[in-house]
Amino acid sequence: MVQIIIENGHDLEQLESASDQLEYKILSLPDDELPSLTIPLFSLLNEMLGKVHMTQRYAFHPKLMSPLKAALHWLLINLTDQKNEPIEVDEEHFRYLHLSGLRVFDAQALSNPYCSGIPSLTAVWGMLHSYQRKLNEALRTNVRFTSFSWFIKDYAAVAGKKLPELSLQGAQRNKLKRPGIIDGKYCDLVFDLIVHIDGYDDDLQKVDSEPDILKAHFPSTFAGGVMHQPQLSSNVNWCCLYSNENQLFEKLRRLPLSGCWVMPTEHKIGDLDALLLLLNNDSKLSPSMTGYMLLTEAKARVGALEKLHCYAEPAIGVVKYETAISVRLKGIGNYFNSAFWVLDAQEKFMLMKKV
């Protein structure tokens, strides 16, 4: 590279002229000097706004100058803080499974009778539990999927009603009939899942050595919908194992800005009025089904599928939608401490909560 620059005087001139450009300074300046570029960046931003007809009125607008300058300064400071320092790698027995670009069609958007939006968190947990059982049966291991993190890349509500299939049910078994239409809400979505896997060294090494088994036993259904891997034409390695948190976060920090993380919160809801007040004060918060509250003690009942049976009702909790850039700026430590969900099963409830 050095020889090319020396032999070609034109390239050397380009390199010298580039040293005065703002882009070069952002890449080359020491971290503690980056906030000094606030004013040049602010000027460039206003110049770009002035070049577009629809945004010309915002260029150097007196009411926007102060907040824009403050936002740029905050961004440059957060890019240079210590939040993204690598995590020390210990000898714990774990892996992270990153499933990227998963596509789901006609998933149940009505997570419980009161909330419509994303599928319930318990649906994610149930799908992963099924995946864990199939994987252990295939590899004869005893690995455990202990927690997960959920990033939704794309979401679209499905319009219209689903028409039931014709069947021979009813009094006249010789005639095809269509059952009644049950109203429901459905959605299509594309998402990533990051699954924390625990196990003994021998079991984890078996998982490492059989990447095709991971793909072969991946579930085909999720929240009542059909789940597919990314299209083959995309040529994406959608099923990756990581034993290092730093390597995983290097990939996660490049996720698209259009998506969002579904994050746990510490909010406790006592009644509907408190929930509505909380949602009105923060647009990033959303109600979602987080599990079940048991109404009776578990006991044997005739006709039950399992030995013990009890009645329960869905529990509504609050999740927070965080943008990809927000999680990236808050750093690797915040992500691994705040973004993972786990099932807390007690005598009176089964609830999804922060790890």
Side-chain angles (χ1 to χ4, degrees):
M1 182 66 182
V2 175
Q3 290 180 346
I4 294 174
I5 293 176
I6 293 176
E7 292 174 359
N8 193 331
H10 179 66
D11 290 341
L12 183 59
E13 291 177 0
Q14 287 185 337
L15 183 61
E16 291 175 348
S17 62
S19 63
D20 296 328
Q21 296 179 3
L22 185 58
E23 294 87 346
Y24 181 85
K25 292 179 180 179
I26 293 175
L27 295 174
S28 59
L29 278 180
D31 290 346
D32 57 349
E33 296 183 19
L34 278 180
S36 65
L37 299 177
T38 302
I39 300 300
L41 275 174
F42 178 69
S43 300
L44 179 61
L45 172 62
N46 284 280
E47 289 177 9
M48 298 302 296
L49 290 174
K51 291 180 180 179
V52 181
H53 176 71
M54 296 183 64
T55 60
Q56 283 180 351
R57 56 179 175 171
Y58 301 115
F60 296 102
H61 195 289
K63 292 185 178 181
L64 293 178
M65 292 182 67
S66 179
L68 284 177
K69 189 182 297 184
L72 287 172
H73 188 68
W74 176 88
L75 180 62
L76 291 172
I77 291 176
N78 277 269
L79 286 174
T80 61
D81 63 11
Q82 304 301 313
K83 295 175 183 176
N84 287 315
E85 284 190 350
I87 294 178
E88 293 184 5
V89 179
D90 51 31
E91 297 183 355
E92 291 187 13
H93 309 296
F94 68 86
R95 294 291 188 275
Y96 285 100
L97 175 63
H98 182 197
L99 304 168
S100 60
L102 305 179
R103 300 173 296 146
V104 180
F105 302 95
D106 290 333
Q108 181 63 257
L110 199 63
S111 58
N112 62 55
Y114 316 104
C115 297
S116 176
I118 62 172
S120 68
L121 294 163
T122 52
V124 183
W125 187 262
M127 180 267 291
L128 290 177
H129 182 67
S130 173
Y131 190 15
Q132 170 190 303
R133 295 178 63 179
K134 292 178 181 178
L135 189 63
N136 282 329
E137 290 176 2
L139 296 176
R140 296 183 179 180
T141 56
N142 190 29
V143 296
R144 300 175 302 280
F145 291 1
T146 57
S147 60
F148 70 88
S149 182
W150 193 12
F151 181 80
I152 299 179
K153 292 182 174 179
D154 192 20
Y155 178 93
V158 176
K161 308 296 181 184
K162 296 180 68 173
L163 193 62
E165 294 183 358
L166 294 170
S167 66
L168 295 175
Q169 297 178 356
Q172 298 178 339
R173 295 299 182 91
N174 59 342
K175 291 184 179 181
L176 288 172
K177 290 186 177 180
R178 197 182 301 276
I181 297 176
I182 300 177
D183 193 16
K185 295 183 181 297
Y186 304 91
C187 62
D188 299 337
L189 62 160
V190 181
F191 61 87
D192 284 18
L193 276 178
I194 297 86
V195 186
H196 186 276
I197 304 178
D198 279 340
Y200 296 108
D201 280 341
D202 293 342
D203 291 342
L204 292 175
Q205 289 175 5
K206 284 184 180 180
V207 175
D208 290 337
S209 62
E210 298 287 350
D212 292 337
I213 298 295
L214 282 171
K215 298 178 180 179
H217 289 84
F218 183 71
S220 59
T221 59
F222 168 67
V226 181
M227 183 161 57
H228 300 282
Q229 66 187 47
Q231 293 181 354
L232 295 177
S233 58
S234 63
N235 197 25
V236 174
N237 186 10
W238 59 276
C239 183
C240 300
L241 277 171
Y242 294 88
S243 57
N244 186 297
E245 292 168 330
N246 302 304
Q247 293 177 356
L248 172 61
F249 193 71
E250 277 298 313
K251 185 173 182 180
L252 298 182
R253 63 187 300 174
R254 300 187 183 97
L255 289 172
L257 300 180
S258 57
C260 65
W261 292 96
V262 182
M263 306 281 285
T265 67
E266 300 292 343
H267 297 294
K268 296 181 179 180
I269 308 302
D271 52 43
L272 181 59
D273 292 335
L275 174 61
L276 295 177
L277 179 62
L278 187 64
L279 298 178
N280 290 332
N281 292 333
D282 192 343
S283 61
K284 293 182 179 179
L285 299 180
S286 176
S288 182
M289 177 176 171
T290 56
Y292 295 94
M293 303 293 293
L294 306 188
L295 300 176
T296 61
E297 293 184 359
K299 63 180 183 180
R301 282 192 173 89
V302 178
L305 297 178
E306 300 293 338
K307 294 181 179 179
L308 297 178
H309 175 274
C310 69
Y311 295 99
E313 65 177 356
I316 297 177
V318 177
V319 302
K320 186 173 185 179
Y321 297 130
E322 288 274 11
T323 63
I325 185 66
S326 175
V327 171
R328 178 165 70 92
L329 290 176
K330 289 179 180 179
I332 183 172
N334 176 79
Y335 169 74
F336 285 102
N337 291 330
S338 305
F340 281 80
W341 295 90
V342 65
L343 179 67
D344 183 15
Q346 301 291 339
E347 185 178 357
K348 297 294 184 180
F349 60 83
M350 295 182 294
L351 298 175
M352 301 300 301
K353 68 174 188 177
K354 186 176 76 171
V355 174

